[in-house]
Amino acid sequence: RLAIEFGVNVLQTDTDVVWLSNPYPTLKGIYRGVQLVSMSDTPLVNAGVFYAQDVRPGDGAAWVLRELSRRLHLFITNSSAVKQYVPWAQPPYFANIDEQTIMNDVLRSSIANVTSYAQATAHWEVKKGATGTRKNRTFRWKETAEYALLNFLGKEVPRRKVRAKLNATARVGELCGAPRLNGLSKYPLHEVGSPRPARAWLSIAPLWLFMPFPSSFSAREIRTCERNGTM
Protein backbone atom coordinates (compact mmCIF):
# COMPACT_ATOMS: atom_id res chain seq x y z
CA ARG A 1 0.00 0.00 0.00
CA LEU A 2 2.85 2.43 0.79
CA ALA A 3 4.35 2.00 -2.68
CA ILE A 4 1.16 1.79 -4.73
CA GLU A 5 -1.49 3.90 -2.99
CA PHE A 6 0.67 6.53 -1.30
CA GLY A 7 3.53 6.73 -3.79
CA VAL A 8 6.18 6.03 -1.15
CA ASN A 9 9.43 4.49 -2.38
CA VAL A 10 10.22 1.42 -0.26
CA LEU A 11 13.56 -0.27 0.38
CA GLN A 12 12.67 -3.71 1.76
CA THR A 13 15.43 -5.61 3.57
CA ASP A 14 15.66 -8.71 5.72
CA THR A 15 16.81 -8.18 9.29
CA ASP A 16 20.20 -9.80 8.59
CA VAL A 17 21.17 -7.27 5.88
CA VAL A 18 24.32 -5.18 6.39
CA TRP A 19 24.93 -1.96 4.44
CA LEU A 20 28.56 -1.21 3.62
CA SER A 21 27.77 1.94 1.65
CA ASN A 22 24.81 4.18 0.91
CA PRO A 23 22.87 2.63 -2.04
CA TYR A 24 20.59 5.61 -2.69
CA PRO A 25 22.84 7.61 -5.05
CA THR A 26 22.95 4.55 -7.33
CA LEU A 27 19.25 3.72 -6.98
CA LYS A 28 18.31 7.34 -7.72
CA GLY A 29 20.93 7.72 -10.44
CA ILE A 30 21.56 4.76 -12.72
CA TYR A 31 18.34 2.99 -11.68
CA ARG A 32 16.05 6.01 -11.59
CA GLY A 33 13.92 4.70 -14.48
CA VAL A 34 13.46 1.22 -12.98
CA GLN A 35 10.51 0.52 -10.67
CA LEU A 36 11.83 -2.64 -8.97
CA VAL A 37 15.49 -3.37 -8.21
CA SER A 38 16.18 -6.70 -6.54
CA MET A 39 19.08 -8.81 -5.34
CA SER A 40 19.91 -11.71 -7.64
CA ASP A 41 19.25 -15.36 -6.93
CA THR A 42 17.96 -18.53 -8.59
CA PRO A 43 15.87 -18.53 -10.74
CA LEU A 44 15.71 -14.73 -10.81
CA VAL A 45 15.64 -12.71 -7.56
CA ASN A 46 16.21 -12.86 -3.83
CA ALA A 47 13.40 -11.25 -1.83
CA GLY A 48 15.80 -10.36 0.99
CA VAL A 49 16.59 -6.98 -0.58
CA PHE A 50 14.55 -5.08 -3.13
CA TYR A 51 13.70 -1.45 -3.85
CA ALA A 52 10.34 -0.23 -5.19
CA GLN A 53 10.21 3.30 -6.58
CA ASP A 54 7.83 5.39 -8.68
CA VAL A 55 5.23 2.61 -8.70
CA ARG A 56 1.95 3.70 -10.27
CA PRO A 57 -1.49 2.08 -9.93
CA GLY A 58 -2.13 -0.08 -12.97
CA ASP A 59 1.49 -0.65 -13.97
CA GLY A 60 3.32 -3.97 -13.87
CA ALA A 61 5.25 -3.18 -10.69
CA ALA A 62 1.98 -2.45 -8.88
CA TRP A 63 0.58 -5.77 -10.11
CA VAL A 64 3.67 -7.61 -8.81
CA LEU A 65 3.47 -6.08 -5.33
CA ARG A 66 -0.28 -6.62 -5.00
CA GLU A 67 -0.11 -10.18 -6.30
CA LEU A 68 2.82 -11.06 -4.03
CA SER A 69 0.87 -9.81 -1.01
CA ARG A 70 -2.31 -11.57 -2.14
CA ARG A 71 -0.66 -14.96 -2.58
CA LEU A 72 1.17 -14.79 0.74
CA HIS A 73 -1.97 -13.91 2.69
CA LEU A 74 -4.06 -16.47 0.79
CA PHE A 75 -1.83 -19.45 1.52
CA ILE A 76 -1.11 -18.35 5.11
CA THR A 77 -4.81 -18.24 5.95
CA ASN A 78 -6.20 -20.98 3.69
CA SER A 79 -3.95 -23.91 2.78
CA SER A 80 -6.75 -25.61 0.84
CA ALA A 81 -6.62 -22.73 -1.67
CA VAL A 82 -3.76 -24.63 -3.31
CA LYS A 83 -6.37 -26.78 -5.05
CA GLN A 84 -7.78 -23.72 -6.85
CA TYR A 85 -4.49 -23.12 -8.64
CA VAL A 86 -2.99 -26.62 -8.79
CA PRO A 87 -5.88 -28.93 -9.74
CA TRP A 88 -3.93 -32.18 -9.27
CA ALA A 89 -2.73 -31.30 -5.74
CA GLN A 90 -4.05 -33.59 -3.00
CA PRO A 91 -4.49 -32.92 0.73
CA PRO A 92 -2.84 -32.49 3.08
CA TYR A 93 -1.34 -29.49 1.27
CA PHE A 94 2.06 -27.95 1.89
CA ALA A 95 0.76 -24.48 0.91
CA ASN A 96 4.14 -22.82 0.50
CA ILE A 97 4.39 -19.33 2.04
CA ASP A 98 8.07 -18.72 1.31
CA GLU A 99 8.07 -15.15 0.04
CA GLN A 100 11.15 -15.60 -2.14
CA THR A 101 9.83 -18.45 -4.28
CA ILE A 102 6.42 -16.79 -4.50
CA MET A 103 8.05 -13.52 -5.57
CA ASN A 104 9.90 -15.36 -8.33
CA ASP A 105 6.66 -16.90 -9.57
CA VAL A 106 4.95 -13.51 -9.55
CA LEU A 107 7.81 -11.69 -11.27
CA ARG A 108 8.21 -14.30 -13.98
CA SER A 109 4.44 -14.21 -14.53
CA SER A 110 4.64 -10.45 -15.03
CA ILE A 111 7.66 -10.58 -17.33
CA ALA A 112 6.16 -13.24 -19.61
CA ASN A 113 2.58 -11.94 -19.17
CA VAL A 114 1.26 -15.34 -18.12
CA THR A 115 -0.13 -16.60 -14.81
CA SER A 116 2.21 -19.05 -13.09
CA TYR A 117 1.97 -20.91 -9.80
CA ALA A 118 4.35 -23.52 -11.17
CA GLN A 119 7.41 -23.08 -8.98
CA ALA A 120 6.36 -21.78 -5.57
CA THR A 121 3.03 -23.58 -5.29
CA ALA A 122 2.90 -26.57 -7.64
CA HIS A 123 6.51 -27.71 -7.38
CA TRP A 124 6.56 -27.37 -3.60
CA GLU A 125 3.53 -29.68 -3.35
CA VAL A 126 5.76 -32.24 -5.06
CA LYS A 127 9.01 -31.78 -3.18
CA LYS A 128 8.12 -30.63 0.36
CA GLY A 129 6.38 -32.22 3.32
CA ALA A 130 4.09 -35.23 3.63
CA THR A 131 1.60 -33.95 1.07
CA GLY A 132 -1.11 -36.05 -0.50
CA THR A 133 0.56 -35.46 -3.86
CA ARG A 134 3.83 -37.01 -2.70
CA LYS A 135 1.98 -40.01 -1.32
CA ASN A 136 0.29 -40.61 -4.68
CA ARG A 137 2.59 -43.13 -6.37
CA THR A 138 0.87 -42.77 -9.73
CA PHE A 139 1.58 -39.03 -9.90
CA ARG A 140 4.12 -37.88 -12.50
CA TRP A 141 5.40 -34.32 -12.05
CA LYS A 142 7.05 -34.18 -15.47
CA GLU A 143 3.72 -34.89 -17.15
CA THR A 144 1.99 -31.85 -15.67
CA ALA A 145 1.20 -28.52 -17.33
CA GLU A 146 3.10 -26.80 -14.51
CA TYR A 147 6.30 -28.64 -15.36
CA ALA A 148 5.90 -27.57 -18.99
CA LEU A 149 5.24 -23.99 -17.87
CA LEU A 150 8.45 -23.93 -15.83
CA ASN A 151 10.41 -25.03 -18.88
CA PHE A 152 8.69 -22.35 -20.96
CA LEU A 153 9.49 -19.62 -18.42
CA GLY A 154 13.09 -20.79 -18.21
CA LYS A 155 13.44 -19.87 -21.89
CA GLU A 156 10.97 -16.99 -22.21
CA VAL A 157 12.06 -14.82 -19.28
CA PRO A 158 15.71 -14.50 -20.43
CA ARG A 159 14.43 -13.74 -23.95
CA ARG A 160 12.48 -10.75 -22.60
CA LYS A 161 15.56 -9.13 -21.04
CA VAL A 162 16.53 -5.78 -22.52
CA ARG A 163 20.02 -4.33 -22.45
CA ALA A 164 20.04 -0.53 -22.34
CA LYS A 165 23.26 1.41 -22.88
CA LEU A 166 24.01 4.42 -20.73
CA ASN A 167 24.86 7.69 -22.45
CA ALA A 168 28.21 7.63 -20.70
CA THR A 169 30.06 5.15 -18.50
CA ALA A 170 28.91 5.68 -14.94
CA ARG A 171 31.42 5.49 -12.11
CA VAL A 172 29.67 4.69 -8.85
CA GLY A 173 32.00 6.62 -6.58
CA GLU A 174 29.75 6.32 -3.54
CA LEU A 175 30.34 2.57 -3.33
CA CYS A 176 33.49 0.83 -2.21
CA GLY A 177 35.77 0.13 -5.17
CA ALA A 178 33.91 2.67 -7.36
CA PRO A 179 32.62 0.17 -9.94
CA ARG A 180 31.94 1.33 -13.49
CA LEU A 181 28.77 0.68 -15.45
CA ASN A 182 28.16 1.24 -19.17
CA GLY A 183 24.81 -0.48 -19.52
CA LEU A 184 21.74 -1.69 -17.68
CA SER A 185 19.80 -4.94 -18.04
CA LYS A 186 16.09 -4.87 -17.26
CA TYR A 187 12.91 -6.90 -17.71
CA PRO A 188 9.48 -5.55 -18.69
CA LEU A 189 6.76 -5.89 -16.06
CA HIS A 190 3.20 -6.38 -17.32
CA GLU A 191 -0.10 -6.19 -15.54
CA VAL A 192 -0.81 -9.86 -16.24
CA GLY A 193 -3.66 -10.38 -18.66
CA SER A 194 -3.60 -6.82 -19.98
CA PRO A 195 -2.85 -6.26 -23.68
CA ARG A 196 -1.19 -2.93 -22.86
CA PRO A 197 2.58 -2.61 -23.30
CA ALA A 198 4.68 -2.90 -20.16
CA ARG A 199 4.96 0.39 -18.25
CA ALA A 200 7.34 -0.73 -15.52
CA TRP A 201 10.71 -2.46 -15.29
CA LEU A 202 12.67 -4.86 -13.08
CA SER A 203 16.45 -4.83 -12.79
CA ILE A 204 18.53 -7.46 -11.06
CA ALA A 205 21.09 -5.59 -8.99
CA PRO A 206 24.76 -6.36 -9.68
CA LEU A 207 26.66 -7.96 -6.83
CA TRP A 208 28.48 -4.75 -5.96
CA LEU A 209 25.10 -3.19 -5.11
CA PHE A 210 23.18 -6.04 -3.41
CA MET A 211 25.20 -9.19 -2.71
CA PRO A 212 24.62 -12.39 -0.73
CA PHE A 213 26.83 -13.01 2.27
CA PRO A 214 28.87 -15.04 2.91
CA SER A 215 30.31 -15.56 -0.56
CA SER A 216 33.71 -15.32 -2.22
CA PHE A 217 32.63 -12.07 -3.88
CA SER A 218 31.49 -10.45 -0.63
CA ALA A 219 34.67 -11.54 1.19
CA ARG A 220 36.81 -9.96 -1.55
CA GLU A 221 34.81 -6.74 -1.51
CA ILE A 222 35.00 -6.43 2.27
CA ARG A 223 38.80 -6.78 2.13
CA THR A 224 38.90 -4.05 -0.54
CA CYS A 225 36.79 -1.73 1.61
CA GLU A 226 38.99 -2.38 4.63
CA ARG A 227 42.12 -1.50 2.63
CA ASN A 228 40.50 1.69 1.37
CA GLY A 229 39.36 2.69 4.85
CA THR A 230 35.71 2.86 3.78
CA MET A 231 34.34 0.48 6.41
Side-chain angles (χ1 to χ4, degrees), residues 111-129:
I111 292 167
N113 202 7
V114 298
T115 299
S116 173
Y117 291 81
Q119 179 192 2
T121 306
H123 195 204
W124 281 50
E125 291 298 310
V126 176
K127 71 176 187 176
K128 295 287 186 178

Side-chain angles (χ1 to χ4, degrees), residues 53 60 65 70 85 95-96 112:
Q53 63 179 344
L65 297 176
R70 186 191 71 84
Y85 303 99
N96 176 33

Side-chain angles (χ1 to χ4, degrees), residues 12 14 16 38-50 64 68 71-72 96-108 119-121 124 212:
Q12 194 287 139
D14 282 352
D16 58 354
S38 182
M39 187 162 70
S40 64
D41 209 329
T42 303
L44 191 63
V45 304
N46 186 311
V49 182
F50 68 89
V64 166
L68 174 60
R71 293 191 191 191
L72 285 169
N96 176 33
I97 56 172
D98 172 65
E99 77 281 1
Q100 180 163 313
T101 52
I102 292 177
M103 186 173 185
N104 275 283
D105 256 354
V106 171
L107 280 170
R108 297 208 293 172
Q119 179 192 2
T121 306
W124 281 50

Side-chain angles (χ1 to χ4, degrees), residues 184-206:
L184 187 68
S185 293
K186 55 186 183 178
Y187 298 85
L189 294 177
H190 301 84
E191 186 179 19
V192 172
S194 171
R196 292 180 300 184
R199 295 185 295 160
W201 297 90
L202 162 75
S203 273
I204 310 300

